[in-house]
Amino acid sequence: MLRIKSSPDQGGGLSEPRPIEWSDVLDDGYEVRRFQPSHLSERFEGRDKKLDNPLKEKYPDARFVGKDWSTQAFYTWGSEATPDSSSLFQCLRAGQSEKIYWDPSEVNAAIVNCGGLCPGLNSVIRELTMMLHLYGVKKVYGIIGGYKGVMEPENWIELTPDVVQEIHLKGGSFLVSDRGNPPHYKMAEMFREHNVRQIFIIGGDGTHKGASTIYEEASGIEGAQTLPGCALDPPYECSVVGVPKTIDNDIALLDYTFGFHSAVEEAVRAIDAAYVEASGNANCLGLVKLMGRSSGFIALEATLSARNVDLCLIPEMDIDMSKVLDYIVELKKTRKHVVIVVAEGLGDTVIKGEGFDAGGNKKLADVGPWFKKQVEDHFKSKGIPLSIKYIDPSYQIRACPPDPFDSVYCSVLAQNAVHAAMAGYTGITVGKIDENYVVLPIQAITELPSKVVDVHGRGFGRMLVTTRQPDLGPDVPAAAPAEAPAEVPAKSPTAKRGSLYSAQAHAAFSNADGKATKTYLSEPLDIEDVFMKNDVMTRYELQHLSSREPGANVSSPILHTEGAVREDMKVFKNENSWSTSSVWKREDENKGAEQLQFLRAGPREVLYWDPKTVKAAIVNCGGICPGLNSVIREIVMMLDMYGCKDIFGIIGGYKGVMEPDTWLKLTPKYVDEVHLKGGSFLVSDRGNPPHIEMAKIFRDRGITHVYIIGGDGTHKGVMQTYEQMLNIDYKCSMCGIPKTIDNDIALLDFTFGFHTAVDKAVEAIDAAYVEATCNANCMGLVKLMGRHAGFIAMHACLAARNVNLCLIAEMDIDMETVKEYIADEMARKKYCVVVIAEGLGDTLIKGSGADAGGNKSLGDVGPWFKKQIEQHMKELKRPFTCKYIDPSYMIRASPPDCFDSVYCSNLAMAAVNGCFAGYTGFSVGKVSNHYVMIPIDEITGRKSRTIDLRSHWFSRLVYTTQQPSMTAKPGSEKVTMKRMITHGFRAKDKAGSGLIEKSEVSSVLEEMGMAAASTGPLLEIKAFNVDGKISYEKFAEWLYP
C-alpha cells in the first residue's frame, strides 16, 4: 500500500493508503526482471540435499536467509524523455542459509585468482579460507599462478587458518596472479581429479567469463563458450563461484568492485604530490596519469576527492586537443598553479597503441609522456615559460593493501561466496547492488557491456562542478561507436543517467519483442512479485517555499556558467523525481516491511531563489568529525558557482549565531585548502540559545539560506529553528547535513566521517596486535568511540581481522564469561586482541552527569576493563600484561579519507541544489545508494540506529572474530545469584580497583533482597577488608562458594 505524508506546512498528515502502482515507482518504459541463479539440484535431480547448517549450532542467534529477493532501488525522473525500454533487476539476497546442500566434511575447495593485481586479493583469499574452515571443510587448496596453475600439481598448496593469518596485511596476491588460461574442460577435469566440490575464482570480467565456461564444462552444459564435445561426461557436481575484482570499477551492475576505493586513495596521494609541486615551483604544472583503460572512474573519483585538480580527462570524453592546449594556457594565466589528471585510456582515444597483452587486452599507447610533450611544445611555441612535474603512480595504486573500506567489503564478499556455495548455488558471483549484497548468475555481468562513466550523468557533472572545466570536445559531436546498439547511442544527449545502462541491459537480455532470451532471466515481473502484500510504502513530501510566497523562478545559472554543467547533460530533477529504497521480497510473505520514498537530490532547471539576492550562513555543531571542513568548503564553492557572493561561516556552533563578531565572510579563496585539515575551522560547540532568538537573528541579517552540519541533536535544533522561522513568518531555506562518526542516524546508508573513523580505528587495532604478538603473554586492548551504537568497533574489527573479542554496547555481556574467555584465549594463543566500545561505560559500569549537549556522561570503561582482566589473571596466577590503547579523539580529528571526501562533496552539492530550488526543513543523505532529500523530522523523530544482534552484520563480526556468546553461561541458582551480585558491585566500582565502600555493598545486597540487619555483620569480616573498603569479588566468592 502507498500512503503520502504531507509536508509540515500542509499539516504533516498521512493520506489514506491505496495499492501501489508501477507509475508510483517507475517511469513508463521501465520493467523489473529477476535473475535466477543456478542451483545444483536443477542439474542433478533427486539430490537436493537439505542439511542443517553447522553455523546454526555455533551461532544460534544468527539470522539465516530464506529465498529472499532484493530489487534495485526504484527512481523516477519526472520528465518527458524516457528510453524505449529499460530493465531493473531483482536478485537473490546473499547470506547464510539455514539448510545447506553440501556436507562440509565431504568438501574439498579450491581458490584461484587471475588477471591483474588489485588491493584486497589477499583479504578475499584469507576470508574464503577462514569461512570454509569455520563451516568444517577439511581441505582448502590455493592455486598459484591463476588458471595456468590449475594444470600444474606443484602449484596446488593447502590453505589453513594459520597459513593465511596475516596475508591480508600485504598487497598483491600470495597465490600469484596471471593472465591467460588452458582449455577450460581440462581445468574442469583437473578439479574433478582433486575431488574439488567448491571452486572460488577471483577476477574481473575476463576471469568471470572463464569461470562461466568452467561451470558449463563441469556441468555438462553446451554453452556459448564451451568446446563441442568437451563438456564433462558424466557431469561433475561442483559449485563454481566468482568474486569480482578490478580497480577500474567497470564490472556491470555492481555498486563498485573491491580494490577500487583503495586505488583511489593511492591516486589522491599522487594528485596531492602534483599539487605541492605545482604550487611550490615557479611556472609549474602538475601532471598525473592514472589507471583506467576504458573507464575513467579512478580519475574522476580521485579528482572529486582531491579537490585541487583543474582539468580531468578520461577516455569516455570526446576531446579536441587544440582546445585542451589553449585551455591549459588560459589556466596558467588565471591561476597560480595548475594540476591535470589524465586516464591511461586516452592512449586509445587521443593516440593509439598496437598489439595485445597475454589476457587479450589491447595494448595502449603511453599517453602520459605524449601529453606532457604536447603541452610543453604548445607553451614553447607561444614563448610561455613552463615546467611540468609528471607523476605516473599506475602500478603503485594497485599494489597496496586494501584500505578499511575495501577490507570490510572483501570480508563480506568472501563470506557470502562461501554461504552461496554451501547452499548449492553454482555458476554465480557475488556483489553489492544499491547497498544490498546479492547473488547473481555469472552471465549477468559477463554478457553486459562494461560500465563506463556517463558523460551526461551526475558523477561526471559533479566532477565538472569541482574542476570548473569547460566542454573540450570537438565543435561537431563525434559519431557514436559502430559497436554501440543503434537504439541506444553510446553518447546520446537524450539518454538519462542510469537509463542508458539499463537500456543496454534490456537490449543484451531481450529480443526485439522484449522477451527474455536468457534462461537465467525472467520475463517482466508483476508488481506483486516485487512488493509483499503487507508492505507499506510512504512518500515523504517536502515543504516548498512557493506554498507561502511565489519565488523568483529564474533559470539555473549552472547551465550557462563556463566550466559548469553543459546543456546536453541530463542531471536535472524536479518535483516528480522520486527515489524508493530497495525493496525486499521475503520468503515469508506475511511479514511486510516499510518502504521509503524521498525526493531525489540534484539541481533543478528553474530556481526559486535568484542567486543575486541570496545570503547564506553555515553553522556546524556538536563534536568534530572528519570531513567538516570539506563540507563547508564545498558549500561555499557551490554557492559561488550559482552566483551567491554573501556567504557567512558562523564560528562556535549555535551559540555563535548570537555573536556578531563570530560571523565570518567566506569566499572560494578563503576556503580553498581548508579540506586538507581535520576538525572544523568554524569551531564546533555544543548547546544552543533559544531557537526563536536564532530565527530572529537570521531574519534581521537577511539570511535566506541556512546550512547546519551536525548529528541527531543538531538536527533537532535545525527542526526547532525551522519551526520558529515559520512562526515569525520569515521565508528561508533551511537544510541539515548529517554527520556523526557513530553512524547512528536513522534511515541513511551511512554518515560522513564514519569511514575515516574506522580507518583510524584500524590503525589502533593493528598497533594493539603488534604489541600483543610481540610481547610475552600480552593482551592488546583498544577502546573505540561508540556511545550507544557499536558500528565503529564492528567495522574496524571486520577490517582489521586480527581481533579475538569485540564487545559493544548493544550486547548482553557477563563479565565472568568475558574473563574466562580471555583467560582461555591467552592460554591457547599466548596473546589476545580485544576491542571494546565506549558505550560499555553505560552498561558494564555507570557514569554520572551530562555534557553541554545534554548527553549522559559515560564511565571510562577502558581502564576499568583493563583492571578487571589483570585482577582475574592475577587470581589465576598466570603471567599477563595488557597494552591499552585509547585513540578516541584521534579517530575523529583527522582529515577525511577519499571515500568520505567525495561523500562530503556530494552532500554539500545536494544541500545547495535543494535550497536554491526552494525547499526548506530538509536534510540530505544517501538512501539505497541514491542521494535524496529527507524531511528533518523524519530523522529526528526516529530512534537512532544501533546494531541488531541478529543481523547479518553482527554475524559477519562473530564469523571474523569467532567469539562465542558473552552472556552468562547456564548454571545453578547459586551461580546466577553470585554473578548478579558481582555485576551490581562492579557498577559501583568506577575506578575498576575491585574495591568499593561498605555502604555500597550494603545497598547492592539490599537491592537483591537481603535484610540490612543481616548484611552489616558480614562486612566486618577481616578477609574482605582492604584499606577500609571491601574486596567485593572475594566477598561474593565467600557468599556463594
Side-chain angles (χ1 to χ4, degrees):
M1 303 295 286
L2 170 69
R3 56 187 187 179
I4 298 173
K5 185 174 182 182
S6 63
S7 59
D9 63 315
Q10 300 298 318
L14 286 168
S15 68
E16 286 296 319
R18 63 168 175 80
I20 301 171
E21 301 174 358
W22 277 129
S23 59
D24 295 321
V25 293
L26 287 175
D27 289 323
D28 289 343
Y30 281 81
E31 63 188 18
V32 179
R33 296 174 184 252
R34 176 180 291 176
F35 281 123
Q36 302 276 7
S38 298
H39 195 273
L40 287 167
S41 61
E42 300 163 5
R43 191 69 180 167
F44 299 89
E45 294 182 6
R47 298 170 72 175
D48 186 8
K49 298 166 279 188
K50 294 183 178 178
L51 309 174
D52 289 334
N53 190 327
L55 299 181
K56 185 75 173 175
E57 183 177 350
K58 293 179 181 178
Y59 307 103
D61 294 332
R63 182 175 292 139
F64 292 82
V65 298
K67 203 160 187 180
D68 298 344
W69 300 89
S70 172
T71 305
Q72 287 179 272
F74 296 119
Y75 53 87
T76 61
W77 288 88
S79 58
E80 299 80 16
T82 56
D84 292 334
S85 190
S86 296
S87 296
L88 297 179
F89 298 105
Q90 188 184 70
C91 309
L92 185 70
R93 289 188 63 206
Q96 63 267 23
S97 300
E98 194 160 358
K99 297 293 182 180
I100 59 176
Y101 186 88
W102 293 105
D103 180 345
S105 65
E106 298 176 357
V107 167
N108 288 350
I111 302 169
V112 59
N113 61 229
C114 307
L117 296 182
C118 174
L121 281 170
N122 282 334
S123 298
V124 172
I125 294 165
R126 180 190 190 274
E127 214 57 37
L128 287 170
T129 303
M130 292 294 195
M131 199 69 209
L132 286 162
H133 281 278
L134 188 63
Y135 263 99
V137 173
K138 302 302 182 188
K139 186 163 286 189
V140 181
Y141 294 107
I143 299 173
I144 296 172
Y147 281 141
K148 293 177 183 175
V150 174
M151 305 308 298
E152 305 296 333
E154 66 273 14
N155 284 7
W156 289 58
I157 62 172
E158 190 165 344
L159 303 181
T160 65
D162 287 342
V163 169
V164 301
Q165 173 64 27
E166 294 187 346
I167 64 171
H168 64 290
L169 301 175
K170 302 175 182 177
S173 169
F174 98 114
L175 287 182
V176 186
S177 194
D178 199 358
R179 300 184 187 275
N181 55 268
H184 296 91
Y185 73 92
K186 289 188 177 181
M187 289 191 282
E189 286 282 8
M190 185 62 76
F191 286 124
R192 177 155 64 180
E193 286 181 21
H194 284 79
N195 195 32
V196 170
R197 297 292 182 172
Q198 293 180 6
I199 307 166
F200 299 95
I201 301 174
I202 312 165
D205 178 73
T207 300
H208 271 67
K209 288 176 181 175
S212 181
T213 307
I214 291 172
Y215 149 68
E216 291 169 347
E217 300 281 17
S219 302
I221 300 170
E222 297 293 341
Q225 306 296 325
T226 57
L227 296 175
C230 289
L232 300 193
D233 188 14
Y236 181 56
E237 188 178 21
C238 68
S239 290
V240 180
V241 181
V243 181
K245 72 102 181 112
T246 168
I247 62 169
D248 285 354
N249 195 38
D250 61 351
I251 290 183
L253 294 177
L254 305 183
D255 291 352
Y256 44 81
T257 47
F258 79 80
F260 170 63
H261 284 101
S262 304
V264 170
E265 194 84 45
E266 288 295 316
V268 170
R269 292 191 178 99
I271 294 173
D272 287 344
Y275 178 75
V276 170
E277 290 287 346
S279 57
N281 288 287
N283 306 310
C284 186
L285 180 152
L287 174 62
V288 181
K289 187 190 82 173
L290 296 174
M291 282 189 165
R293 293 184 60 85
S294 306
S295 63
F297 289 108
I298 294 175
L300 182 145
E301 200 85 356
T303 295
L304 281 169
S305 177
R307 291 190 174 83
N308 47 25
V309 176
D310 301 288
L311 176 61
C312 177
L313 302 174
I314 59 176
E316 293 89 342
M317 297 168 62
D318 286 331
I319 296 171
D320 183 329
M321 272 304 295
S322 63
K323 285 187 178 182
V324 169
L325 295 172
D326 288 341
Y327 179 62
I328 296 172
V329 170
E330 185 64 27
L331 283 173
K332 283 302 295 177
K333 289 179 180 178
T334 56
R335 303 186 190 184
K336 292 181 180 178
H337 41 72
V338 175
V339 177
I340 299 174
V341 171
V342 296
E344 65 171 336
L346 297 182
D348 193 41
T349 57
V350 296
I351 55 173
K352 296 290 182 182
E354 296 179 351
F356 297 87
D357 64 19
N361 299 307
K362 186 177 181 181
K363 287 185 177 179
L364 305 180
D366 191 350
V367 73
W370 177 88
F371 190 93
K372 176 175 178 285
K373 189 171 188 313
Q374 293 290 309
V375 177
E376 287 171 335
D377 290 349
H378 189 67
F379 272 69
K380 186 176 180 180
S381 70
K382 292 182 176 292
I384 304 173
L386 180 69
S387 169
I388 296 181
K389 308 303 183 187
Y390 173 55
I391 299 175
D392 180 357
S394 299
Y395 292 100
Q396 178 183 331
I397 73 172
R398 72 176 206 173
C400 59
D403 65 7
F405 184 95
D406 270 330
S407 187
V408 171
Y409 192 36
C410 290
S411 289
V412 180
L413 291 177
Q415 290 180 6
N416 285 338
V418 175
H419 294 324
M422 285 294 173
Y425 291 103
T426 186
I428 54 102
T429 192
V430 291
K432 185 156 74 166
I433 298 178
D434 287 341
E435 290 297 315
N436 286 311
Y437 288 95
V438 296
V439 173
L440 294 164
I442 287 179
Q443 299 94 326
I445 64 175
T446 60
E447 296 187 9
L448 270 174
S450 297
K451 279 199 305 188
V452 294
V453 174
D454 181 357
V455 295
H456 303 282
R458 291 168 295 175
F460 190 76
R462 292 173 186 137
M463 187 267 285
L464 295 181
V465 168
T466 299
T467 64
R468 303 199 178 192
Q469 67 194 58
D471 182 3
L472 297 170
D475 292 331
V476 178
E483 62 271 19
E487 65 273 21
V488 188
K491 294 180 179 178
S492 164
T494 60
K496 287 181 272 185
R497 176 70 172 92
S499 68
L500 167 65
Y501 200 75
S502 56
Q504 290 175 330
H506 182 86
F509 295 137
S510 308
N511 61 22
D513 297 325
K515 296 289 186 182
T517 58
K518 309 295 181 182
T519 57
Y520 52 82
L521 190 69
S522 74
E523 296 297 334
L525 300 179
D526 293 328
I527 201 161
E528 293 80 13
D529 299 318
V530 175
F531 291 91
M532 294 186 292
K533 60 183 179 183
N534 292 324
D535 278 358
V536 176
M537 185 173 76
T538 306
R539 173 180 292 176
Y540 294 94
E541 295 183 334
L542 293 182
Q543 178 171 348
H544 196 274
L545 291 171
S546 62
S547 64
R548 306 178 64 207
E549 184 179 324
N553 294 331
V554 298
S555 177
S556 173
I558 66 172
L559 265 175
H560 313 295
T561 303
E562 182 69 8
V565 177
R566 305 191 310 264
E567 291 190 31
D568 64 339
M569 298 188 70
K570 301 299 174 183
V571 298
F572 291 100
K573 314 296 188 304
N574 62 28
E575 70 280 2
N576 295 313
S577 302
W578 296 96
S579 175
T580 308
S581 57
S582 297
V583 178
W584 293 355
K585 177 79 169 177
R586 292 174 173 83
E587 197 168 32
D588 183 355
E589 277 282 344
N590 295 315
K591 285 188 175 180
E594 179 190 21
Q595 313 297 344
L596 309 172
Q597 193 175 66
F598 300 111
L599 266 178
R600 297 177 68 188
R604 269 54 177 172
E605 288 188 80
V606 177
L607 306 183
Y608 180 87
W609 293 101
D610 183 343
K612 298 186 184 68
T613 67
V614 167
K615 289 186 177 181
I618 305 169
V619 188
N620 60 226
C621 306
I624 63 173
C625 171
L628 281 170
N629 282 333
S630 298
V631 172
I632 296 165
R633 179 190 188 273
E634 214 59 39
I635 291 174
V636 173
M637 294 296 191
M638 196 68 184
L639 286 166
D640 180 75
M641 173 163 280
Y642 267 100
C644 171
K645 302 304 178 185
D646 289 322
I647 308 168
F648 299 93
I650 299 174
I651 296 172
Y654 283 138
K655 295 176 182 176
V657 174
M658 309 303 296
E659 305 294 332
D661 57 348
T662 61
W663 285 61
L664 182 66
K665 186 71 178 286
L666 301 181
T667 64
K669 183 178 180 180
Y670 192 100
V671 300
D672 190 36
E673 294 188 345
V674 299
H675 64 289
L676 301 175
K677 301 175 183 178
S680 168
F681 80 99
L682 288 182
V683 186
S684 194
D685 199 358
R686 298 184 187 276
N688 54 267
H691 296 281
I692 182 64
E693 298 304 321
M694 288 195 288
K696 289 177 180 178
I697 290 289
F698 288 131
R699 179 195 62 190
D700 294 345
R701 298 193 67 143
I703 299 299
T704 52
H705 286 194
V706 180
Y707 301 92
I708 302 179
I709 312 163
D712 179 70
T714 300
H715 270 67
K716 289 177 181 175
V718 179
M719 191 65 196
Q720 291 169 299
T721 306
Y722 159 68
E723 289 169 348
Q724 295 302 328
M725 292 278 199
L726 296 178
N727 290 338
I728 63 175
D729 197 29
Y730 180 62
K731 186 176 67 170
C732 178
S733 285
M734 293 197 69
C735 173
I737 301 173
K739 72 102 182 107
T740 165
I741 61 171
D742 285 355
N743 197 38
D744 61 351
I745 292 183
L747 302 177
L748 305 181
D749 292 347
F750 41 79
T751 49
F752 80 79
F754 169 63
H755 285 100
T756 308
V758 170
D759 197 342
K760 296 302 176 185
V762 170
E763 291 178 10
I765 294 173
D766 286 344
Y769 178 74
V770 170
E771 290 288 346
T773 54
C774 297
N775 287 286
N777 307 302
C778 185
M779 179 181 83
L781 174 63
V782 181
K783 186 190 83 174
L784 296 174
M785 283 189 165
R787 291 183 60 86
H788 305 295
F791 290 105
I792 293 175
M794 180 178 74
H795 279 256
C797 289
L798 280 167
R801 293 192 175 82
N802 45 26
V803 175
N804 304 96
L805 177 62
C806 177
L807 302 175
I808 56 178
E810 294 89 338
M811 294 168 63
D812 180 13
I813 296 169
D814 175 67
M815 268 306 291
E816 297 303 314
T817 303
V818 170
K819 288 192 225 176
E820 291 170 10
Y821 179 69
I822 290 174
D824 289 345
E825 286 291 286
M826 290 299 300
R828 186 169 64 91
K829 291 184 173 181
K830 305 302 181 188
Y831 75 90
C832 184
V833 177
V834 179
V835 171
I836 58 176
E838 66 169 338
L840 298 180
D842 194 38
T843 57
L844 290 181
I845 58 174
K846 296 291 182 182
S848 59
D851 64 19
N855 299 307
K856 183 178 180 182
S857 295
L858 305 180
D860 191 352
V861 74
W864 177 88
F865 190 94
K866 175 177 179 286
K867 184 77 173 175
Q868 292 291 311
I869 305 303
E870 286 173 334
Q871 183 65 31
H872 183 67
M873 297 301 285
K874 184 177 180 181
E875 290 172 1
L876 294 176
K877 297 182 176 167
R878 296 181 188 174
F880 178 76
T881 180
C882 176
K883 308 300 183 185
Y884 174 54
I885 300 174
D886 180 357
S888 298
Y889 292 102
M890 182 175 71
I891 73 174
R892 71 177 206 171
S894 60
D897 65 7
C898 292
F899 181 92
D900 271 331
S901 183
V902 173
Y903 191 39
C904 289
S905 291
N906 294 344
L907 289 176
M909 292 179 191
V912 175
N913 288 330
C915 284
F916 267 108
Y919 294 105
T920 188
F922 70 99
S923 187
V924 291
K926 209 173 187 183
V927 177
S928 294
N929 210 34
H930 287 262
Y931 288 95
V932 296
M933 297 185 289
I934 305 168
I936 288 178
D937 60 338
E938 285 307 315
I939 288 180
T940 59
R942 293 175 183 254
K943 187 178 177 181
S944 296
R945 283 200 310 176
T946 56
I947 294 171
D948 178 357
L949 299 184
R950 295 197 66 242
S951 69
H952 294 299
W953 275 111
F954 190 75
S955 294
R956 291 160 188 153
L957 171 67
V958 296
Y959 294 158
T960 300
T961 63
Q962 300 193 18
Q963 66 193 58
S965 170
M966 289 294 125
T967 56
K969 295 177 182 177
S972 65
E973 183 179 351
K974 182 190 293 186
V975 171
T976 302
M977 287 298 295
K978 177 182 175 182
R979 291 188 172 185
M980 288 175 64
I981 288 177
T982 304
H983 183 75
F985 290 153
R986 282 203 194 96
K988 306 285 187 181
D989 180 16
K990 301 295 193 304
S993 64
L995 303 173
I996 56 177
E997 300 291 341
K998 292 180 182 180
S999 60
E1000 292 177 328
V1001 175
S1002 296
S1003 67
V1004 171
L1005 293 177
E1006 288 171 13
E1007 288 172 8
M1008 300 297 296
M1010 295 184 68
S1014 64
T1015 60
L1018 295 176
L1019 303 181
E1020 300 305 319
I1021 299 174
K1022 290 184 179 180
F1024 315 134
N1025 283 261
V1026 180
D1027 298 329
K1029 294 186 177 182
I1030 298 296
S1031 172
Y1032 59 81
E1033 296 215 2
K1034 288 183 179 179
F1035 180 78
E1037 188 66 37
W1038 177 85
L1039 199 60
Y1040 295 103

